């Protein structure tokens, strides 16, 4: 049986292409009227103004709406912020009961570690950028930079590190009134230090 299979394979491999015959056309044929899909895609792509589209989505110009504008600090000032939060709704336990009722108060710093230093500054203010580079905060571990103004792309490139935006929620939660501000944990509270920066005489 194996020899028969081997002989059949050899015969198929040695058949000359010239022996193949056209058996004819059966049934009525029609020319293809649909356009070539690839050609249509290429044509539509060529009609799009890609530069305009890319300019709209480039991150360089992105700034979140409603970003709070913090004035430059006019004096050194520090204060403590109590992070205690009051629940505005019931939290169910998944068994038909209530795990934490509306009005329950808790301080997340009593349960969660938080070792980061938050630095809020205006990236459009050259004096604050100079202060940031010379203050030493950039060399400290776990430092997060938050912008109250400026482009996160441009500032990030200049500082060679990622920067983020100080959202309205952050500004409100830490009672921020001026920049630059340095925010650190102090036991079960958060300390906010507003730093006065000014031109050297």
């Amino acid at each position: 049986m194996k020899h028969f299979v081997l002989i059949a394979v050899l015969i198929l491999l040695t058949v000359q292409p010239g022996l193949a015959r056209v058996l004819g056309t059966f049934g009525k044929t029609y020319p293809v009227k649909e356009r070539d899909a690839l050609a249509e895609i290429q044509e539509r792509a060529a009609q799009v103004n890609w530069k305009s589209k890319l300019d709209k989505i480039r991150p360089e110009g992105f700034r979140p709406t409603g970003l709070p504008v913090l004035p430059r600090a006019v004096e050194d000032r520090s204060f403590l912020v109590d992070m205690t939060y009051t629940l505005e709704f019931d939290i169910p336990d998944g068994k038909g009961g209530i795990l934490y009722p509306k009005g329950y108060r808790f301080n997340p710093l009593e349960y969660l570690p938080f070792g980061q230093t938050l630095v809020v500054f205006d990236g459009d203010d050259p004096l604050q950028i100079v202060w940031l580079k010379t203050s030493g905060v950039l060399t400290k571990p776990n430092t997060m930079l938050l912008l109250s103004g400026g482009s996160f792309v441009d500032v990030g490139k200049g500082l060679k590190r990622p920067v983020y935006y100080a959202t309205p929620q952050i500004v409100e939660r830490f009672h921020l009134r001026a920049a630059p501000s340095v925010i650190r944990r102090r036991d079960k509270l958060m300390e906010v230090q507003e730093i006065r920066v000014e031109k050297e005489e």
Side-chain angles (χ1 to χ4, degrees):
M1 182 66 179
K2 291 183 179 178
H3 293 293
F4 176 75
V5 173
L6 179 60
I7 292 171
V9 170
L10 290 174
I11 291 173
L12 288 174
L13 292 176
T14 56
V15 171
Q16 298 296 322
L19 297 178
R21 287 186 276 172
V22 177
L23 300 177
T25 302
F26 296 91
K28 192 172 182 180
T29 61
Y30 301 91
V32 177
K33 291 188 177 181
E34 289 84 2
R35 294 191 58 194
D36 179 77
L38 180 59
E40 188 170 356
I41 291 172
Q42 291 174 336
E43 180 181 318
R44 292 191 179 185
Q47 295 172 353
V48 176
N49 185 345
W50 292 107
K51 184 179 184 306
S52 173
K53 297 286 185 184
L54 292 173
D55 285 342
K56 290 181 180 179
I57 63 174
R58 282 182 178 172
E60 285 84 350
F62 171 76
R63 297 192 188 193
T65 57
L67 191 67
V69 177
L70 297 175
R72 187 191 300 164
V74 295
E75 62 178 352
D76 292 335
R77 185 171 77 101
S78 65
F79 55 91
L80 298 174
V81 178
D82 184 357
M83 301 301 292
T84 299
Y85 179 76
T86 302
L87 284 179
E88 299 178 354
F89 48 84
D90 293 334
I91 296 182
D93 61 5
K95 301 176 182 178
I98 301 298
L99 182 62
Y100 295 106
K102 177 181 178 180
Y104 177 79
R105 291 168 57 83
F106 70 98
N107 185 346
L109 295 179
E110 295 180 1
Y111 307 96
L112 300 174
F114 187 84
Q116 286 185 313
T117 296
L118 307 179
V119 181
V120 180
F121 66 102
D122 186 349
D124 283 334
D125 185 351
L127 289 182
Q128 294 188 44
I129 296 294
V130 171
W131 167 82
L132 187 66
K133 291 180 178 180
T134 58
S135 65
V137 296
L138 295 178
T139 63
K140 296 180 180 179
N142 299 325
T143 297
M144 177 180 286
L145 305 180
L146 302 174
L147 290 175
S148 65
S151 164
F152 80 101
V153 172
D154 295 336
V155 177
K157 286 180 180 179
L159 298 176
K160 297 180 180 178
R161 61 183 298 163
V163 295
Y164 309 91
Y165 283 109
T167 63
Q169 293 82 3
I170 292 174
V171 171
E172 180 180 356
R173 192 69 183 91
F174 291 108
H175 306 289
L176 302 180
R177 296 292 178 267
S181 290
V182 179
I183 307 168
R184 298 185 182 94
R185 178 174 182 163
R186 289 289 182 261
D187 194 21
K188 296 179 182 180
L189 301 172
M190 297 297 290
E191 181 185 47
V192 178
Q193 291 180 308
E194 295 176 357
I195 313 296
R196 178 185 179 185
V197 293
E198 57 184 355
K199 294 181 180 179
E200 295 183 0
E201 298 294 339

